[in-house]
């Protein structure tokens, strides 16, 4: 009953020409949004060109934005500016932003509120380091991130939130969490949401897995009860590979 959502996070890859070629290739063959939601999150500089070519079945997202409307924040991108060009999604609190740009849980929460003010669907990221995983503290760590990120978000809006569980040790390493491991943590996240809201909200929220997802391992990941899609880095850069991931979403 939860529609699978497959999102590509291109990170700092692809110039305008490369991005347009990708969208051209994908738009020919993308499965209908009736069965799966497909999103590409690109660098800010190419968003406007991509949005012009976004159809019902492929939506465009940003990878970050500021939590304020405007101001003296050199180099930042605002939610109203994203909305103005037709962007529909925004990744918030990616572990790379937390690690390299010092984003805190409080920032992530402010950004989640800001996204809804400007009709952007937030894809809120959480996930533990290898050190946390090995110390057995994963559930507590991820719970803290999720509770902080969702502070003040109403039940109505919460149903629209997408959460991406991305264990840091699985990102770009080729080391995927086992499907059981990913599903267990995602179930735990759903329980946290149940505690904060209610059953209805918990069952409505989509929770993706991210970290070395590729066309070979996606079927198994999506076969799990609580994994509702994927947030994909490397394997989303090639149009055929991205289409294979989206097709796997259709089968869920
Ligand atoms: P990879 O799929 O390259 O491991 O990246 C995952 C990720 O960080 C998506 O946001």
């Amino acid at each position: 009953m939860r529609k699978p959502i497959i999102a590509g996070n291109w990170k700092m890859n692809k110039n305008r020409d490369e991005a347009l070629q990708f969208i051209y290739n994908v738009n020919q063959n993308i499965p209908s949004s009736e069965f799966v939601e497909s999103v590409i999150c690109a660098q800010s500089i190419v968003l406007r060109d991509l949005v012009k070519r976004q159809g019902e079945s492929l939506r465009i997202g940003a990878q970050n934005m500021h939590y304020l409307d405007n101001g003296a924040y050199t180099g930042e991108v605002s939610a109203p500016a994203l909305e103005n060009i037709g962007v529909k999604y925004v990744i918030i609190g990616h572990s790379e932003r937390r690690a390299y740009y010092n984003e805190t849980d409080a920032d992530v929460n402010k950004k989640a509120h800001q996204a809804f003010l400007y009709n952007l669907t937030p894809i809120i990221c959480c996930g533990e380091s290898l050190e946390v995983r090995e110390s057995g503290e994963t559930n507590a760590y991820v719970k803290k991130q999720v509770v902080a990120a969702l502070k003040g978000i109403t039940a109505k809006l919460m149903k629209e939130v997408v959460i991406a569980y991305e264990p840091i040790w699985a990102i770009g390493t080729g080391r995927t969490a086992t499907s059981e491991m990913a599903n267990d943590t995602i179930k735990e996240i759903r329980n946290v949401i149940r505690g904060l809201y209610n059953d209805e909200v918990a069952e409505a929220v989509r929770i993706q897995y991210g970290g070395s997802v590729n066309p070979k391992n996606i079927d198994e990941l999506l076969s799990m009860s609580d994994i509702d899609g994927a947030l994909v880095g490397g394997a989303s850069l090639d149009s055929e590979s991205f289409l294979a991931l989206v097709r796997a979403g259709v089968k869920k």
Side-chain angles (χ1 to χ4, degrees):
M1 73 188 204
R2 294 185 292 267
K3 191 191 284 187
I5 172 164
I6 306 296
N9 174 11
W10 282 352
K11 308 189 181 183
M12 199 172 70
N13 292 291
K14 289 198 193 292
N15 64 25
R16 177 179 180 273
D17 296 344
E18 292 160 344
L20 289 180
Q21 183 64 53
F22 177 102
I23 299 294
Y24 177 81
N25 294 345
V26 166
N27 269 342
Q28 317 278 316
N29 295 302
I30 190 96
S32 162
S33 60
E34 201 183 322
F35 310 112
V36 62
E37 222 166 293
S38 314
V39 186
I40 285 291
C41 299
Q43 300 191 66
S44 300
I45 194 168
V46 301
L47 289 176
R48 184 168 152 72
D49 283 308
L50 299 194
V51 162
K52 282 193 205 154
R53 291 157 180 86
Q54 87 182 329
E56 270 298 308
S57 297
L58 180 67
R59 294 302 195 185
I60 303 300
Q63 298 172 5
N64 176 43
M65 58 168 206
H66 202 278
Y67 53 76
L68 293 174
D69 283 358
N70 50 47
Y73 299 96
T74 303
E76 288 289 322
V77 171
S78 74
L82 292 174
E83 184 196 36
N84 183 247
I85 60 165
V87 170
K88 301 290 182 198
Y89 294 78
V90 60
I91 298 173
I92 288 176
H94 191 279
S95 58
E96 287 152 14
R97 300 244 17 124
R98 294 178 191 254
Y100 308 143
Y101 305 98
N102 304 317
E103 267 188 35
T104 64
D105 284 338
D107 296 331
V108 173
N109 179 244
K110 286 186 219 165
K111 291 182 182 198
H113 284 275
Q114 181 74 346
F116 280 119
L117 280 180
Y118 291 95
N119 300 308
L120 298 163
T121 299
I123 300 176
I124 300 177
C125 301
C126 60
E128 80 289 358
S129 62
L130 189 57
E131 198 185 345
V132 171
R133 168 65 63 177
E134 287 178 344
S135 68
E137 296 298 316
T138 296
N139 287 351
Y141 184 88
V142 172
K143 178 177 182 179
K144 184 171 161 284
Q145 285 183 320
V146 170
V147 169
L150 301 178
K151 200 169 155 204
I153 299 287
T154 63
K156 182 162 178 279
L157 293 180
M158 187 58 213
K159 289 187 195 169
E160 306 300 320
V161 169
V162 177
I163 293 187
Y165 166 59
E166 300 202 305
I168 295 167
W169 48 270
I171 296 177
T173 57
R175 186 176 166 184
T176 329
T178 64
S179 47
E180 287 80 16
M181 207 188 257
N183 198 52
D184 284 351
T185 308
I186 287 177
K187 260 192 188 160
E188 194 56 36
I189 294 169
R190 203 176 297 289
N191 278 333
V192 170
I193 295 167
R194 204 180 311 280
L196 291 173
Y197 298 88
N198 53 44
D199 275 342
E200 194 195 336
V201 173
E203 293 307 320
V205 169
R206 274 109 35 102
I207 310 180
Q208 301 172 306
Y209 166 76
S212 298
V213 176
N214 61 48
K216 290 208 177 82
N217 60 25
I218 192 158
D219 286 332
E220 193 189 326
L221 288 160
L222 292 185
S223 73
M224 304 307 288
S225 62
D226 283 70
I227 304 182
D228 303 320
L231 182 58
V232 187
S236 73
L237 292 170
D238 174 76
S239 53
E240 283 310 313
S241 165
F242 181 69
L243 281 170
L245 297 165
V246 173
R247 288 189 194 112
V250 174
K251 286 191 283 170
K252 176 155 174 107

